Amino acid sequence: MEKIQTQPVDINGNHFKRAGFVLVLMVGTFLTIINQTLLVTALPKIMSDLDISASNAQWLITTFMLISGIMIPTSAFLLNTITNRNLFFAAMVSFAIGTVICALSTTFNTLLVGRIIQAIGSGLMIPLMQTLMFLVYPAERRGEAMGLVGIVIAFSPAIAPTVSGWIVDYYNWRYLFYIILPIVVLNLLLAFFYMKNIINLTKPKVDFFSILLSSLGLGSLLYGISVAGNEGWQNMNTWISCVIGIVVIILFSRRQFKLAQAFLELRVFKSRTFTLSTIIVAIIFMTMIGSEILLPIYTQSIKGFSALQSGLILLPGALVLGVISPIAGKLFDKYGVKKMSMIGMFILAVATFPFLLLTKDTATWWIVCLYSLRMLGMGFVMMPLATAGINALSNDLISHGSAINNTVRQVFASLGAAIMVGVMSATVTRYSNDYEGISLSSLLKGLNNGFMSAFILIVIAFILCIFIKSPIYTKKEE
């Protein structure tokens, strides 16, 4: 009888097995998130096959991030309007349809449409998983739950370039979608048996103006940041889009405080712990995504490695992050967020500093070790902090907190890439000359400065960790 009481309960009061529910959620989200970075190393082959320019090809990634980012804030409203089971199926079916279109596409426009439909499902799945994982575990095991979330959110985009590099080097790029599709179908079949409804619907009134403001504001901001990453911060479109985005987001925020039932409940920011933890995790995510862009540039342009070899250099770090995330979750449940975050940030800072000193002759094994150590530090910080933030919210605000947490992380991830690549590009331009063009020395200097911007951000996050105070539910307290 005791065992039954530890099992989660659906909205009808029926106990169900947590393991199948969690497996379906994790696999579904893993498949959707891995597509964010899956095409990074495949773009040259796609450009050649579909006869498109680099600027057009980049939209296959940028558009995915834009649509996914726009959908995330909507998830909180949908979770209170549609049963979580139906929302899961809607997200996965959308992703499956987009994957089929991508696999069969023979033109750029068709492939882009497929990526947009994929992104709709992906944008819904990320906050859906985080919310459901939080609610399906008791308070004293939420660190463990978020550790599992960390495997998916951090591990999948980290491993994608390696998988993509291997497939593209030996097979057609369409196999990137052919391989994913049967796993999606299998997961949908499992969901029929294991996905349960665990959220009681409040069915808030639809505020179409909030949806419009949210989509326009976030879309403009993400577009501006994406342009900055591709074209540089000097581009006028960057600043126009970012300013429009910020202004519209301010208007959206003011409207939420006036509504009887907010489309996105911004009073979660009244919690100091939630606000601080969200900012710190977003900053860390900035440095992770930015580093995953800079390191392949170093290994391919300076070291002369192939796309697959570059991916393999990142693979051990991805594996470390995947292993440490659930362990860090259990340690969080036992020791709380303060010790975990300080230790993790110290490791992250120590492992990041040597990247400021990269040279052409830096040993590959040393890079692998440092990158793996960085991932270890991130594993100790990201999910424990995210857990502490959402733990500080009441159950009725968890879906809103998850949506906001993921939205901020999406924006900061794009911003981190734009800042670190922007710093690198500006340095390269400064140290290059008209006669020699871009030299190895100027590119190295640019990469060093790009990692310096990451190190500065990590120091800022470390300082913010000092002010984290969170009520942690531990087994000891019980």
Side-chain angles (χ1 to χ4, degrees):
M1 190 69 182
E2 273 185 18
K3 189 175 180 181
I4 293 177
Q5 289 175 347
T6 63
Q7 293 175 354
V9 180
D10 65 17
I11 57 173
N12 297 316
N14 300 317
H15 291 276
F16 64 92
K17 292 183 178 180
R18 185 184 291 110
F21 184 92
V22 168
L23 176 66
V24 166
L25 269 179
M26 289 186 64
V27 172
T29 313
F30 179 87
L31 293 171
T32 58
I33 295 182
I34 200 173
N35 268 267
Q36 291 182 354
T37 52
L38 194 63
L39 295 189
V40 171
T41 50
L43 288 185
K45 295 286 180 70
I46 294 174
M47 288 163 54
S48 174
D49 193 19
L50 301 182
D51 192 26
I52 56 175
S53 65
S55 57
N56 281 337
Q58 192 63 38
W59 278 106
L60 295 172
I61 297 173
T62 303
T63 301
F64 189 97
M65 300 293 281
L66 278 173
I67 301 300
S68 180
I70 289 171
M71 291 303 299
I72 289 173
T74 311
S75 66
F77 168 78
L78 292 176
L79 269 170
N80 288 294
T81 307
I82 305 170
T83 63
N84 60 261
R85 179 182 165 89
N86 287 342
L87 189 58
F88 174 87
F89 278 109
M92 289 305 297
V93 169
S94 171
F95 181 76
I97 292 171
T99 301
V100 171
I101 294 172
C102 289
L104 300 177
S105 61
T106 55
T107 65
F108 169 72
N109 289 336
T110 309
L111 182 57
L112 186 61
V113 168
R115 290 289 284 170
I116 290 172
I117 298 173
Q118 273 191 323
I120 292 172
S122 178
L124 292 174
M125 274 302 300
I126 299 170
L128 175 64
M129 179 190 71
Q130 190 164 317
T131 301
L132 295 182
M133 288 288 283
F134 220 79
L135 292 174
V136 82
Y137 277 85
E140 72 275 5
R141 292 182 61 190
R142 283 176 173 173
E144 177 187 342
M146 293 299 279
L148 295 174
V149 171
I151 295 176
V152 175
I153 290 179
F155 181 58
S156 48
I159 199 175
T162 305
V163 175
S164 177
W166 175 69
I167 291 174
V168 169
D169 278 354
Y170 294 99
Y171 304 97
N172 187 285
W173 57 268
R174 289 181 178 83
Y175 279 90
L176 294 171
F177 304 106
Y178 288 139
I179 292 172
I180 285 175
L181 188 59
I183 306 175
V184 174
V185 173
L186 177 61
N187 200 52
L188 281 168
L189 291 174
L190 290 173
F192 275 105
F193 300 99
Y194 294 119
M195 180 53 57
K196 308 294 181 181
N197 288 319
I198 62 171
I199 297 178
N200 290 303
L201 303 181
T202 58
K203 295 194 175 180
K205 184 180 177 183
V206 180
D207 183 43
F208 291 105
F209 193 48
S210 287
I211 296 174
L212 177 63
L213 288 175
S214 171
S215 302
L216 178 61
L218 195 57
S220 297
L221 182 59
L222 285 170
Y223 173 75
I225 294 171
S226 297
V227 172
N230 297 329
E231 309 282 340
W233 288 97
Q234 73 280 0
N235 190 294
M236 188 58 67
N237 288 334
T238 295
W239 293 104
I240 292 174
S241 297
C242 286
V243 169
I244 291 173
I246 291 169
V247 170
V248 174
I249 288 172
I250 291 172
L251 293 174
F252 168 80
S253 301
R254 292 185 65 181
R255 182 171 181 79
Q256 301 317 295
F257 289 114
K258 294 177 181 178
L259 292 173
Q261 281 186 302
F263 173 75
L264 188 62
E265 192 56 82
L266 299 181
R267 60 192 172 100
V268 294
F269 287 113
K270 289 182 178 179
S271 167
R272 174 184 169 184
T273 300
F274 175 83
T275 303
L276 272 176
S277 64
T278 299
I279 293 171
I280 296 168
V281 170
I283 292 174
I284 295 167
F285 216 71
M286 286 174 74
T287 66
M288 186 180 85
I289 299 298
S291 298
E292 286 173 1
I293 293 174
L294 292 191
L295 264 181
I297 294 174
Y298 170 78
T299 54
Q300 292 178 48
S301 300
I302 304 295
K303 291 284 193 179
F305 293 155
S306 67
L308 176 57
Q309 289 172 322
S310 296
L312 289 173
I313 288 173
L314 301 180
L315 183 58
L319 294 175
V320 167
L321 185 59
V323 170
I324 200 63
S325 289
I327 296 172
K330 290 188 176 183
L331 291 173
F332 164 82
D333 286 333
K334 187 174 182 180
Y335 298 109
V337 70
K338 190 79 170 181
K339 293 178 181 177
M340 295 290 297
S341 61
M342 297 301 287
I343 292 171
M345 289 305 303
F346 179 76
I347 294 172
L348 184 55
V350 168
T352 298
F353 186 79
F355 284 98
L356 280 62
L357 310 172
L358 285 179
T359 68
K360 185 176 183 294
D361 301 317
T362 302
T364 303
W365 66 267
W366 180 234
I367 295 170
V368 171
C369 290
L370 287 174
Y371 183 73
S372 298
L373 192 61
R374 289 188 82 242
M375 292 296 105
L376 177 68
M378 286 184 180
F380 274 114
V381 177
M382 282 203 295
M383 285 305 108
L385 275 170
T387 308
I390 298 181
N391 245 350
L393 305 176
S394 58
N395 280 355
D396 63 310
L397 291 178
I398 286 177
S399 61
H400 295 273
S402 296
I404 290 171
N405 186 289
N406 284 284
T407 300
V408 172
R409 188 163 54 216
Q410 187 89 347
V411 171
F412 273 61
S414 300
L415 185 61
I419 288 175
M420 291 176 68
V421 173
V423 169
M424 181 197 75
S425 300
T427 305
V428 169
T429 301
R430 179 181 176 186
Y431 286 93
S432 299
N433 58 60
D434 296 332
Y435 300 103
E436 295 180 3
I438 298 176
S439 62
L440 284 181
S441 60
S442 63
L443 182 56
L444 263 174
K445 186 73 174 175
L447 287 164
N448 290 339
N449 285 352
F451 282 111
M452 183 182 290
S453 63
F455 182 75
I456 292 170
L457 287 168
I458 289 167
V459 171
I460 293 171
F462 182 84
I463 294 170
L464 291 176
C465 281
I466 298 171
F467 301 98
I468 283 283
K469 291 180 181 178
S470 177
I472 302 297
Y473 302 93
T474 68
K475 292 175 183 178
K476 284 182 180 180
E477 288 174 348
E478 290 188 331

